[in-house]
Amino acid sequence: MTSAKAYQDGLAELRGVRDEIKPREKQLAKLQAELGKLRADRDEKIRTLGAYEKAKPDRLATSAGVSVIDVVALVPSLGPQTPASAPASTPPDTSATEDRPQPQNAAQAIKEPAGALAPDLRAPAQPPQPVDVTETPAPDTTEDQAPAQTPSAQPTAAAPSPAVTPATTPARPAPAVDEQERKLPSIPEGNDGDRWIYAEPNLASKRPNFKQADRQMVFLDAATGVLASRTGTVTLDLGTGSVAEILTAVYATVPTTVERIYITAGEPWLRNAERHQFLKDAVAQWLNGPLPQDWTVEASRGKDRQAGHLVHPRNPVGRWQRGDQHTEIRSVGEWFDAEGADPVTVRTAFIELWRALRRHWDDVVLMGSPSQTGRDLWARTIPAKEGAKWAGGYPVMSQEIRGLLHATAGQGRTELIKPPRVPERVPGWYESDRTFAYAKHTWTSGVGVPQRVTAAAFAAMTAKEQANALFSPSHWQVRVTIPQDWNHVGLLPAPAPASTSGDRPWHYPFEGGRTFTTWAGGAEINLALRNPIQPWRIEILDGLVWEKGDPLKDWSNKLKDAWRALRAVADVHGDEQQRQAARLASRAVRSILLYGIGTFAQRPRITTGSIELGANGEVPEIPDGAKLTGLSDTHVTWERNAGFARDQYAHPEWAAGVWSAARAALLSGPTGAKDPDTGKPARAGALHLPAGSILAFRTDAIYSSVRPDWPYSGEPGDYLLKGALAWEQHTPTTDEEFYDLQSLGRQALEAERS
């Protein structure tokens, strides 16, 4: 600011902007109120019409402009009954650009049938063999899958860390049952439920017979303008960092054959974030800004169903085209945190990543995201040799089973434990993070069509058959009773109360004497039955048991080998830039496995888009079934749930199994080091720390008030101490306080080690 006059003029301009904002805010509030009333009226009409005995969910969905999933959610009785096997003549879905939502069966509220008590798995026994397995791989002794060799079935106390005493643990709250707890879906009783047990006709995961197209990429620091490409580096003038300015500056320097521009720093999509209530609104406005002449938003490209923008608050994807030229602007944050690395180093990291993967896949191509790359690499490990098991492809489960797993199999455990469960002040703050955790749990997975095991069927089994079923890849509906004198963290996920779930739909009941009903994977059920403190009472209500196979093992082993090789380079290379590049590349391998597993879950496909406002700011019609998610000065943003697509790589049973095993290992699991007393893998996890010392969980990390003394060998699954504050702290009660302590703890540990 150069003068008082300029300052006063600026204030006048600011007031002008304020006066322009106010009427638009009022308009938006009015629109949102009107939209809310219309939606409520629409939903009521759907419920009324859905009561008609001949009502069809697809007809209602079309008339209402919503998806079939939304209709079934409002009128559960409209869930269609799918035959046990579809006609053999059903043609495969070859649609390239159309993702039609498919009908969903009713999500039936859990009933309270008689359960079959699970056996005591803590008794001495040899590891049981899986049910109906024709090819059983050798057991992986590093995995937590075999029964514990315990001399007695009596409960034993968890051994606390040596010479560590937590602050006094407050009195445990009395057990309470929240009447508003969400009800999870269940498999219908009898033949109606048995009809769910089939594989989708003409749909299986098969090895591709083509190589992905290579796409040239460049790396741009949007803050400094430095651009790195195969021809060298150049500094660009990006102006304000708009899409138009970036496209113009980049393609004035590089050839039109470049199809990906990775942003390494600067986040241009958040330049005006302070003007918006939500980050996604700022991103949408940036993506939909003015374009250079002849450029348009990409609408489609052959069989690419990902055309159009992805509006994400941190890692958006913008797609544009100019004639036959196509380009994407993406964030390198999809792959790893660049940690201030310059574009040349980031580009070197991608080269090192490709080289490490090339040792295992001759046809490797780095695709736009780690999830796409992970799925493509996995597909190239599917058996192709004639006569090999699953050479014809891995079958995709029925839509009903996929929908059930989507609703009942959560991902990583996220929990903040607050007073009075823990003291308001604690003696320290320690973060222990599992290294490359998911890679630890890919050695076995369920394959084929599952066997349904009802409570009656489970009760009719012998003890050995019951143990076989519980040690097989499985997913169980159970009634759980926590021991009366339990004084540690919860072991099994349960649906959080609908009114408080927010972004965390699962919670972990811990109150002694409490009974609740939930779904959980076989790994977690095993943990609850044979944890190192005291077994929980588990009653089997229903379940799905798969044949044991290893569809992810070869893929995972190759990725782990690439990860180890890159970490070795990062440790010993003499050039600092190469060390940093190798370190970033190793993290990219982790992302390939982590997000690759996530793609198997095949969540309902959410599509996003935006439409320019009409004259006088009038809101245009949005697509049928879409909902308004944002409104800027120039555009409205919408999103639509497109349901479950016919995806040949949809295997939520694999993702659910890995997630369940990872959550179980967060409580108790083997490490890569040996226990000197027993010669077996040393164990670590929350249950191996004192009661009252656990403060939070975050997917692969445990936060505690005492310092864990767990061996670390650098192997997948081992706990690495990442943060430490060795003095008294206020217990965090909000996410903001949690992240502040997390940051301080990491800084303090780094200072301690330097």
Side-chain angles (χ1 to χ4, degrees):
M1 194 61 64
T2 58
S3 67
K5 183 179 183 305
Y7 178 69
Q8 294 300 325
D9 290 344
L11 291 177
E13 291 176 3
L14 186 59
R15 288 192 291 271
V17 173
R18 176 200 64 193
D19 293 341
E20 289 182 15
I21 289 174
K22 284 185 176 179
R24 285 179 170 81
E25 288 179 335
K26 291 179 181 179
Q27 181 187 21
L28 177 58
K30 181 180 178 182
L31 283 171
Q32 289 176 331
E34 292 175 354
L35 186 61
K37 291 179 181 178
L38 288 171
R39 284 176 174 163
D41 183 49
R42 177 198 64 195
D43 293 350
E44 185 57 36
K45 290 184 183 298
I46 291 174
R47 293 188 187 95
T48 301
L49 294 172
Y52 176 51
E53 61 180 3
K54 295 184 179 181
K56 301 292 184 183
D58 53 342
R59 293 285 302 277
L60 283 171
T62 301
S63 299
V66 298
S67 71
V68 174
I69 294 176
D70 294 328
V71 171
V72 172
L74 292 167
V75 190
S77 61
L78 291 181
Q81 298 301 319
T82 305
S85 59
S89 60
T90 303
D93 185 351
T94 57
S95 170
T97 59
E98 186 178 7
D99 254 344
R100 297 182 295 275
Q102 299 189 17
Q104 300 293 299
N105 277 67
Q108 302 183 8
I110 284 180
K111 300 177 181 179
E112 290 296 330
L117 188 64
D120 181 4
L121 297 182
R122 291 161 56 93
Q126 293 300 315
Q129 298 301 311
V131 177
D132 297 329
V133 176
T134 56
E135 291 184 13
T136 305
D140 187 331
T141 56
T142 65
E143 292 293 334
D144 191 18
Q145 295 292 328
Q149 302 297 313
T150 309
S152 169
Q154 296 300 316
T156 58
S161 299
V164 171
T165 304
T168 303
T169 305
R172 219 170 43 249
V177 177
D178 192 323
E179 298 299 332
Q180 301 302 313
E181 199 167 76
R182 290 183 302 113
K183 296 294 184 182
L184 296 178
S186 59
I187 304 175
E189 296 180 2
N191 292 334
D192 289 342
D194 293 340
R195 292 191 182 99
W196 288 23
I197 314 301
Y198 70 97
E200 290 286 354
N202 304 311
L203 192 65
S205 304
K206 297 182 179 181
R207 189 173 187 140
N209 56 5
F210 63 90
K211 180 180 178 180
Q212 295 289 351
D214 287 301
R215 307 202 187 276
Q216 290 189 42
M217 59 188 78
V218 295
F219 301 86
L220 175 65
D221 185 328
T224 65
V226 174
L227 178 77
S229 67
R230 63 172 59 182
T231 59
T233 61
V234 63
T235 301
L236 307 178
D237 180 2
L238 301 179
T240 64
S242 68
V243 170
E245 290 167 316
I246 289 176
L247 291 176
T248 299
V250 169
Y251 285 105
T253 306
V254 302
T256 58
T257 51
V258 168
E259 297 188 51
R260 291 195 190 114
I261 303 169
Y262 278 110
I263 304 298
T264 64
E267 296 184 315
W269 43 83
L270 297 181
R271 292 273 175 94
N272 296 316
E274 70 280 356
R275 300 181 185 177
H276 300 272
Q277 183 177 3
F278 302 105
L279 291 181
K280 288 184 71 171
D281 293 340
V283 172
Q285 185 177 48
W286 182 82
L287 289 170
N288 293 298
L291 295 173
Q293 186 177 1
D294 298 330
W295 283 92
T296 61
V297 175
E298 185 178 67
S300 64
R301 190 198 316 194
K303 296 184 178 181
D304 183 6
R305 295 182 299 182
Q306 299 297 321
H309 301 321
L310 170 65
V311 181
H312 187 278
R314 292 295 179 188
N315 299 314
V317 180
R319 299 182 176 95
W320 298 272
Q321 65 185 79
R322 179 173 57 179
D324 293 333
Q325 178 187 356
H326 298 264
T327 194
E328 296 180 330
I329 295 181
R330 312 184 71 114
S331 169
V332 79
E334 294 181 84
W335 294 84
F336 46 71
D337 179 357
E339 295 184 338
D342 61 70
V344 174
T345 303
V346 173
R347 182 176 181 274
T348 303
F350 273 74
I351 294 172
E352 292 301 315
L353 171 64
W354 181 84
R355 287 174 176 168
L357 297 175
R358 183 75 165 73
R359 298 188 185 100
H360 300 285
W361 286 277
D362 291 339
D363 51 357
V364 60
V365 171
L366 297 182
M367 302 180 71
S369 69
S371 59
Q372 294 169 332
T373 304
R375 187 167 73 172
D376 183 67
L377 293 179
W378 171 78
R380 297 173 193 280
T381 66
I382 297 174
K385 186 178 180 181
E386 186 175 351
K389 193 167 187 180
W390 309 114
Y394 292 103
V396 173
M397 298 299 94
S398 71
Q399 181 176 283
E400 291 82 2
I401 293 178
R402 284 182 283 140
L404 178 76
L405 288 168
H406 166 62
T408 61
Q411 298 189 36
R413 179 170 182 168
T414 300
E415 184 179 16
L416 184 62
I417 300 175
K418 310 173 186 178
R421 286 183 61 185
V422 291
E424 293 185 357
R425 295 186 66 84
V426 289
W429 168 270
Y430 301 92
E431 176 186 3
S432 302
D433 184 72
R434 296 185 72 214
T435 298
F436 205 9
Y438 284 5
K440 179 78 171 179
H441 307 294
T442 52
W443 70 283
T444 185
S445 302
V447 289
V449 177
Q451 173 189 357
R452 183 185 183 186
V453 180
T454 62
F458 190 85
M461 292 178 174
T462 65
K464 180 180 179 181
E465 290 171 336
Q466 289 179 342
N468 283 342
L470 291 171
F471 279 100
S472 294
S474 50
H475 192 62
W476 300 95
Q477 183 185 29
V478 291
R479 184 185 298 117
V480 182
T481 302
I482 305 174
Q484 286 286 352
D485 55 349
W486 184 261
N487 69 344
H488 220 295
V489 296
L491 304 185
L492 294 173
S499 59
T500 61
S501 60
D503 293 333
R504 298 175 188 171
W506 302 93
H507 68 155
Y508 295 81
F510 63 94
E511 306 94 338
R514 178 171 179 174
T515 295
F516 61 96
T517 302
T518 192
W519 283 86
E524 290 167 289
I525 299 298
N526 270 276
L527 187 280
L529 289 169
R530 57 191 186 97
N531 71 80
I533 299 176
Q534 186 177 6
W536 285 22
R537 177 185 173 88
I538 305 292
E539 296 173 78
I540 302 297
L541 304 179
D542 212 337
L544 298 169
V545 179
W546 281 268
E547 178 182 339
K548 187 176 182 181
D550 57 359
L552 304 179
K553 188 175 182 179
D554 185 33
W555 173 70
S556 176
N557 284 344
K558 290 177 177 179
L559 290 176
K560 284 188 285 189
D561 184 75
W563 173 77
R564 291 188 182 100
L566 289 165
R567 280 169 58 96
V569 172
D571 288 340
V572 302
H573 202 287
D575 182 81
E576 173 57 31
Q577 185 186 59
Q578 285 295 129
R579 286 201 300 271
Q580 186 179 19
R583 187 163 57 249
L584 296 178
S586 72
R587 292 174 185 171
V589 174
R590 175 185 178 276
S591 295
I592 288 172
L593 185 136
L594 176 69
Y595 296 119
I597 288 171
T599 64
F600 292 125
Q602 203 242 346
R603 303 297 186 184
R605 205 167 72 91
I606 304 297
T607 57
T608 62
S610 61
I611 304 175
E612 191 171 0
L613 291 176
N616 301 319
E618 294 177 358
V619 178
E621 286 191 24
I622 60 177
D624 289 346
K627 64 179 181 179
L628 189 69
T629 59
L631 178 65
S632 70
D633 291 343
T634 58
H635 288 76
V636 292
T637 305
W638 54 266
E639 70 177 31
R640 177 171 55 186
N641 186 330
F644 292 93
R646 267 183 71 86
D647 183 353
Q648 65 174 319
Y649 298 120
H651 290 287
E653 67 275 16
W654 298 348
V658 171
W659 294 335
S660 175
R663 290 193 300 268
L666 203 60
L667 299 168
S668 179
T671 66
K674 297 291 184 181
D675 185 323
D677 296 330
T678 65
K680 296 179 181 179
R683 302 185 72 82
L687 297 183
H688 299 273
L689 292 174
S693 67
I694 307 301
L695 305 177
F697 294 97
R698 284 295 187 278
T699 307
D700 301 328
I702 298 172
Y703 298 82
S704 60
S705 60
V706 298
R707 188 169 186 141
D709 184 23
W710 298 329
Y712 182 73
S713 60
E715 285 299 302
D718 281 0
Y719 281 93
L720 173 66
L721 189 66
K722 291 185 68 174
L725 295 171
W727 53 88
E728 191 173 271
Q729 302 290 328
H730 280 288
T731 302
T733 58
T734 66
D735 284 346
E736 291 75 14
E737 293 174 354
F738 166 84
Y739 287 117
D740 284 344
L741 276 181
Q742 182 191 66
S743 178
L744 290 172
R746 292 177 180 181
Q747 293 174 26
L749 183 62
E750 185 177 354
E752 176 185 319
R753 290 172 172 169
S754 61

